[in-house]
Amino acid sequence: MRAMDVFTGLPDWLRLECQPIDQLQGDLFPEESQQLARAVPKRRREFTAGRTLARRLLVQAGYPAGAIPADASRCPRWPEGVAGSISHSESQCAAALASLHDCRSIGVDLESIGAVTPDLWPYVFTPAEQQVLQTTTIASPETAKLQATLGFSAKEAFFKSQYPLTKLWLDFPQAEIRQLSARSFTLELTETLPELPRTVSGLFWPVPGQQLLTLLWL
């Protein structure tokens, strides 16, 4: 699966790709391997997939294929001048990147459709969002399942994109879904943060394995 085959609607300056984890088991740099010294095999596979895919995008964008170690908060430490994000599910890995000349930060997230079950809604969604999901469930349980996954994933992508700018760990109710269309969403912050716009928009796509990928940039 190539990015151009699936991810329509992207600006020319942004690169995004999603591939099966099993197909992304390349070599790591010593600095990266050292950070995995105590990692279980599953974590090593996921980390390796993310770095392999991210390096592929870096080379495509004209950057050297260097190490991408994790920082103290376990976020990827991108080369100077690059904004990027990595996400993985049980079977898939996604990476996105762009130049800091084009955006301040990027957030990408992968989720399995249906994993955000109703018992999790009070922790993930505001009362208004929960009401919409409850109403949708009555009319179409499958649609509600998709919307719950999208809402969770959109917030995760936003949290990833805002962290490099604010260094804050936000709670899910601090962002609320305001609008959905066929391939896009809009989030509104429920409180003002000086470093961030009050409203942000992003894109989403289905990916193989009944999964959903969300992306936004600031």
Side-chain angles (χ1 to χ4, degrees), residues 56 105 123 136 192:
R56 180 186 302 174
S105 63
Y123 305 99
T136 304
T192 300

Side-chain angles (χ1 to χ4, degrees), residues 77-157:
R77 196 163 72 237
W78 297 95
E80 184 176 356
V82 174
S85 183
I86 298 171
S87 184
H88 56 76
S89 62
E90 289 294 324
S91 61
Q92 302 284 328
C93 179
L97 63 83
S99 167
L100 288 174
H101 293 295
D102 295 309
C103 68
R104 295 190 295 161
S105 63
I106 297 175
V108 65
D109 185 66
L110 271 170
E111 300 294 339
S112 296
I113 297 173
V116 187
T117 51
D119 59 298
L120 300 175
W121 292 358
Y123 305 99
V124 176
F125 302 115
T126 65
E129 290 173 318
Q130 292 179 61
Q131 181 61 52
V132 170
L133 287 171
Q134 289 165 359
T135 301
T136 304
T137 298
I138 296 173
S140 174
E142 289 303 310
T143 300
K145 184 187 299 183
L146 178 61
Q147 288 182 351
T149 306
L150 174 57
F152 178 88
S153 187
K155 294 184 184 191
E156 281 284 328

Side-chain angles (χ1 to χ4, degrees), residues 1 17-26 45 48-49 52-53 56 91-93:
M1 181 201 314
E17 194 166 342
C18 181
Q19 294 283 347
I21 288 176
D22 289 343
Q23 296 179 17
L24 296 169
Q25 296 304 299
R45 288 179 66 255
T48 300
T52 301
L53 186 55
R56 180 186 302 174
S91 61
Q92 302 284 328
C93 179

Side-chain angles (χ1 to χ4, degrees), residues 75 85 105-109 123-124 151-176 187 189 193 196 200 216 218:
C75 297
S85 183
S105 63
I106 297 175
V108 65
D109 185 66
Y123 305 99
V124 176
F152 178 88
S153 187
K155 294 184 184 191
E156 281 284 328
F158 169 65
F159 294 155
K160 286 184 176 183
S161 69
Q162 66 82 38
Y163 183 79
L165 306 177
T166 68
K167 302 303 181 184
L168 296 175
W169 299 106
L170 301 184
D171 293 326
F172 283 100
Q174 289 180 264
E176 187 171 63
L187 286 171
L189 297 183
L193 293 174
L196 303 174
V200 295
L216 61 78
L218 299 173

